Amino acid sequence: CGILLTDPDKIQKMMDHLNDKITSEKISLVEKDFQEGAETLVISYGITSRSAKAAIQKARKLNHKVSSLVIYSIWPIPEKEIINSLKNIKKVIVPEMNAGQYIMEIQRFADKETTVSGINLMNTKLISPEKILQEIITSSPYLKVKFSQLKNI
């Protein structure tokens, strides 16, 4: 049983404290895997992160330069981390197991020259690494391969 707080000054102090805690960078949890010279970035979160990591490994074996940002704390949005990861990036791929809600947050930070595209599924099936790899390859200027060759990687 809690004590009901009715003092406006104490309530404001508590709310300011909570707001400062939320907006601090201390609770932004991300994993960065940046590759020198990469122009493609995959931003993932949740279960799609495993598929994204596998796709990035395969893409790198095919000599594609691609970076990754895995977001572990989707709210509050790790703005500084996202903005920093977008430097020199021409294409961002955001795989999501929904209609594409988080991609809108990424689009807010991308400049006009950066293409932001989503891979979305809502049918209870996971987004495969091959689907993400296909998107990486079609956006990469470095190397084109036939999609039938992807299973051999």
Side-chain angles (χ1 to χ4, degrees):
C1 180
I3 299 171
L4 183 60
L5 194 59
T6 58
D7 181 342
D9 291 333
K10 288 182 181 178
I11 293 170
Q12 187 63 52
K13 184 177 178 181
M14 179 185 66
M15 295 307 293
D16 290 342
H17 168 74
L18 292 174
N19 187 56
D20 290 344
K21 195 174 182 181
I22 290 169
T23 57
S24 77
E25 293 298 312
K26 293 177 185 174
I27 61 174
S28 292
L29 300 174
V30 299
E31 178 184 325
K32 300 176 242 180
D33 180 10
F34 298 152
Q35 187 175 31
E36 180 94 20
E39 295 179 350
T40 302
L41 171 68
V42 179
I43 297 179
S44 61
Y45 63 91
I47 199 160
T48 60
S49 295
R50 278 193 168 177
S51 291
K53 286 178 182 181
I56 289 164
Q57 278 184 330
K58 289 180 179 182
R60 287 177 177 170
K61 285 181 183 177
L62 292 169
N63 297 320
H64 290 270
K65 294 189 176 197
V66 59
S67 291
S68 171
L69 181 69
V70 177
I71 300 175
Y72 292 110
S73 57
I74 61 171
W75 192 90
I77 297 163
E79 292 183 20
K80 287 182 182 175
E81 300 289 352
I82 293 170
I83 290 167
N84 288 337
S85 70
L86 291 172
K87 291 177 182 169
N88 302 315
I89 295 297
K90 293 184 177 172
K91 170 124 189 199
V92 179
I93 301 165
V94 185
E96 297 185 79
M97 298 295 298
N98 57 46
Q101 282 81 4
Y102 208 73
I103 194 172
M104 291 183 277
E105 297 301 331
I106 307 306
Q107 288 168 331
R108 286 189 315 130
F109 303 116
D111 60 33
K112 293 178 183 176
E113 290 78 39
T114 304
T115 303
V116 181
S117 62
I119 301 171
N120 306 99
L121 279 182
M122 298 181 291
N123 62 0
T124 72
K125 292 186 178 180
L126 298 178
I127 297 172
S128 69
E130 288 75 22
K131 182 74 174 163
I132 298 169
L133 179 59
Q134 181 179 357
E135 188 67 26
I136 292 169
I137 288 171
T138 58
S139 69
S140 176
Y142 300 109
L143 177 68
K144 300 290 182 191
V145 296
K146 294 178 183 174
F147 295 119
S148 61
Q149 294 174 317
L150 298 180
K151 295 190 190 254
N152 299 328
I153 302 170

